[in-house]
Amino acid sequence: MKKGKLIVISGPSGVGKGTLCNMLIKDLNVEYSVSYTTRNPREGEIDGVNYNFITVDEFREKIRIGDLLEYNIYNGNYYGTSKSFVMNKINEGKSIILEIDVNGARNVKNIFPDALLIYIAPPSIEELKRRLINRGTESIEKINSRLKIAKEELEKNDFFDYVIINDEIGEAYLRIKQVVEKNR
């Protein structure tokens, strides 16, 4: 049986990764890997759909037993990907999308050299700030922290296979869809 493709989508918070991933899932035959996180759910987020929301102790147990493909602390919260879920889906011949941070993407690339890594970039830091403010889910302190992280990520995204600027969601989606179809 042909193995599935591992597709990694990264980029700063507020850049539109989730929207683009949802569009790919609806349009192409790919599945989304729901990450674990210790952060609190945002309004409208559903446990098991957007994230698997768990405690710090539960997350540390997953680390201890080796059940995470990758994990990281981002903005004070743990995030990680279920190793068993990803491996099972790939072995079933299904393509999987991981929406993870830059450090997680680097770790995945070390384990899966043939993974497709796509970085979604904002047209500018100013536009990213506007999007984060308009989202209305975080304090200005959290937004500034996310912007600092975004600037650092933009400087170290050269190991990605593709960088796509999300200046307009429809155009960005067409570019990302072409990349995924070309590399499957």
Side-chain angles (χ1 to χ4, degrees):
M1 175 187 278
K2 184 178 175 185
K3 290 196 176 221
K5 184 74 173 178
L6 183 56
I7 304 159
V8 177
I9 308 290
S10 294
S13 181
V15 80
K17 299 181 302 290
T19 300
L20 291 166
C21 286
N22 287 335
M23 293 168 83
L24 284 171
I25 291 162
K26 288 179 183 168
D27 204 17
L28 302 176
N29 187 23
V30 296
E31 288 192 39
Y32 183 73
S33 174
V34 179
S35 297
Y36 293 106
T37 186
T38 60
R39 80 160 169 75
N40 292 325
R42 294 186 187 124
E43 187 175 328
E45 288 183 327
I46 300 167
D47 186 37
V49 174
N50 304 101
Y51 284 96
N52 291 305
F53 296 99
I54 61 175
T55 67
V56 171
D57 288 340
E58 289 170 321
F59 198 98
R60 288 181 179 154
E61 178 63 11
K62 291 192 176 299
I63 294 169
R64 190 188 70 72
I65 64 173
D67 187 35
L68 295 174
L69 177 62
E70 59 78 35
Y71 68 92
N72 205 352
I73 299 174
Y74 180 87
N75 214 23
N77 296 296
Y78 285 93
Y79 292 83
T81 303
S82 170
K83 184 187 227 174
S84 55
F85 176 83
V86 170
M87 296 304 294
N88 288 340
K89 293 297 180 181
I90 287 174
N91 289 333
E92 290 172 6
K94 299 185 190 268
S95 292
I96 301 294
I97 291 181
L98 303 182
E99 182 185 336
I100 57 177
D101 75 350
V102 170
N103 292 323
R106 182 176 280 122
N107 292 339
V108 167
K109 191 69 167 182
N110 289 335
I111 297 167
F112 288 94
D114 62 339
L116 173 62
L117 272 60
I118 303 170
Y119 187 84
I120 309 299
S124 68
I125 289 295
E126 295 76 26
E127 173 61 15
L128 183 61
K129 183 175 184 177
R130 186 190 69 73
R131 291 177 187 179
L132 288 169
I133 290 169
N134 287 345
R135 190 161 72 176
T137 59
E138 296 167 328
S139 68
I140 195 66
E141 292 81 19
K142 283 276 192 193
I143 289 171
N144 287 333
S145 175
R146 290 191 183 279
L147 291 172
K148 181 179 182 243
I149 292 167
K151 289 175 187 174
E152 293 168 1
E153 285 183 356
L154 286 165
E155 293 172 2
K156 59 180 181 180
N157 67 11
D158 57 340
F159 67 93
F160 283 83
D161 300 309
Y162 296 89
V163 175
I164 295 174
I165 297 173
N166 184 8
D167 45 0
E168 194 282 315
I169 197 74
E171 291 175 20
Y173 175 68
L174 291 176
R175 290 191 298 269
I176 197 171
K177 180 181 176 189
Q178 288 173 338
V179 165
V180 169
E181 288 177 330
K182 173 181 159 187
N183 287 278
R184 283 175 61 179

